[in-house]
Amino acid sequence: MENLKNEMKLEFLSKSANESFARVTIAAFAAQLDPTIEELADIKTSVSEAVTNAIVHAYSGSEGIIKIHSRLYENLIEIEVIDTGVGIENIEEAKTPLFTTKGSLERSGMGFTIMESFMDELKVESVVGLGTKIYMKKKIKSSGKELSL
Amino acid sequence: MKVEHFVEERILKILITEEIDHHTSSKIRTRMDYEILRFRPKKVIIDLKNVKFMDSAGVGLMIGRYKSVKSCGGNLEIENANSKLMKIFEMSGLPKIIEFRNTSELQGFSNEIESILI
């Protein structure tokens, strides 16, 4: 692994108002790597999906703590989104495109599909009754050296 | 959100001005369904030109409105989604059932510039 450049931890209540707080905060942190507009949008969307999953599924309306842990390397960002909610029984099923247990709430079932395609790596660890940890990694190609907008 | 109703043509135009995520979508959904049921329009146009961020909640929101517009016998069109929004809509397969259009040339132009620069 390359040299660690920076690291941060964030903790907040599982309130839906914090979805925008989480993605804007991670975008501000990731900006230190000089990502392109598109890379930054991909990171924001993926974090929004992971945090929404924790709010909607892990805590399902009740209040809990969501933690985000992020590390920056030379050309790479690692993000973990951790909850201590109900956990996921069948991870493969949850990752299936368009699969949702909350269709009545107009959830599209695209959360994991978006995280998988917008990031370079996605790992999901979950224990029923204990919680879920989502690990995501994205390479930042530009590092904006030749282009500063 | 801004709503315009063209009585003669029975067209309802909805301009969404906020970011679309799970938090904001329930409010947007309630307001849109209220307007759709009130006017029972022939056509609903949702303009996304001012939407800077959308996650998968936007897909659920549009599928739901497509259903409520259809159930009133109308048609749904979505306008001016930027390239980031389109990336998510394309993944969902929604453009196969709902018409997506770009009305403002400027929007298309700035999208193009953005893709050249990146």
Side-chain angles (χ1 to χ4, degrees), chain A residues 16-17 19-20 23-24 36-38 41-42 44-45 48-49 52 55-56 98 105-108 110-111 113-114 117-118 147 149, chain B residues 19-25 29 33 52-57 59-65 84 87-89 91-92 114 117-118:
Chain A
S16 63
E19 289 156 11
S20 63
R23 65 177 177 260
V24 168
T36 60
I37 298 165
E38 203 183 346
D42 289 351
K44 275 176 85 174
T45 311
S48 199
E49 298 294 347
T52 304
I55 292 168
V56 174
L98 309 180
L105 296 177
E106 295 190 349
R107 305 295 310 149
S108 64
M110 285 181 60
T113 311
I114 286 178
S117 62
F118 284 16
L147 238 185
L149 285 174
Chain B
E19 300 195 330
I20 303 176
D21 62 15
H22 157 254
H23 178 69
T24 62
S25 62
R29 168 168 55 237
D33 279 350
K52 302 273 183 281
F53 176 86
M54 183 192 86
D55 63 17
S56 69
V59 174
L61 183 70
M62 296 307 156
I63 294 175
R65 297 314 54 72
K84 290 171 214 150
K87 196 165 151 185
I88 293 168
F89 283 131
M91 279 175 67
S92 73
E114 200 175 277
L117 286 174
I118 289 168

Side-chain angles (χ1 to χ4, degrees), chain A residues 72-85:
Chain A
L72 302 181
Y73 298 91
E74 197 59 47
N75 294 302
L76 185 81
I77 181 166
E78 286 183 325
I79 303 163
E80 284 173 347
V81 179
I82 303 152
D83 69 67
T84 51

Side-chain angles (χ1 to χ4, degrees), chain A residues 2-5 33 72-76 140 143 145:
Chain A
E2 301 162 65
N3 283 343
L4 183 67
K5 273 183 82 178
L33 293 181
L72 302 181
Y73 298 91
E74 197 59 47
N75 294 302
L76 185 81
I140 303 299
S143 274
K145 306 244 150 61

Side-chain angles (χ1 to χ4, degrees), chain A residues 1-10 25-26 29-33 43 47 68-82 119 123 133-140:
Chain A
M1 191 58 85
E2 301 162 65
N3 283 343
L4 183 67
K5 273 183 82 178
N6 204 349
E7 184 169 8
M8 72 94 153
K9 283 178 184 172
L10 191 67
T25 306
I26 203 80
F29 187 63
Q32 295 174 22
L33 293 181
I43 292 167
V47 168
I68 294 183
H69 185 182
S70 180
R71 292 185 198 89
L72 302 181
Y73 298 91
E74 197 59 47
N75 294 302
L76 185 81
I77 181 166
E78 286 183 325
I79 303 163
E80 284 173 347
V81 179
I82 303 152
M119 305 295 276
K123 274 191 258 175
K133 180 162 98 179
I134 290 170
Y135 168 90
M136 299 181 277
K137 188 168 107 176
K138 189 171 179 68
K139 285 180 204 123
I140 303 299

Side-chain angles (χ1 to χ4, degrees), chain B residues 28-90:
Chain B
I28 299 173
R29 168 168 55 237
T30 309
R31 175 77 195 280
M32 284 209 274
D33 279 350
Y34 170 75
E35 302 290 350
I36 291 164
L37 285 173
R38 189 155 72 122
F39 294 119
R40 306 186 74 82
K42 251 198 320 211
K43 199 201 281 186
V44 176
I45 301 168
I46 299 176
D47 192 336
L48 298 178
K49 69 168 176 245
N50 292 332
V51 177
K52 302 273 183 281
F53 176 86
M54 183 192 86
D55 63 17
S56 69
V59 174
L61 183 70
M62 296 307 156
I63 294 175
R65 297 314 54 72
Y66 172 77
K67 287 180 187 161
S68 50
V69 173
K70 279 274 163 196
S71 74
C72 292
N75 240 322
L76 175 67
E77 286 174 16
I78 298 174
E79 278 182 1
N80 305 322
N82 71 27
S83 57
K84 290 171 214 150
L85 271 59
M86 276 322 289
K87 196 165 151 185
I88 293 168
F89 283 131
E90 307 254 332

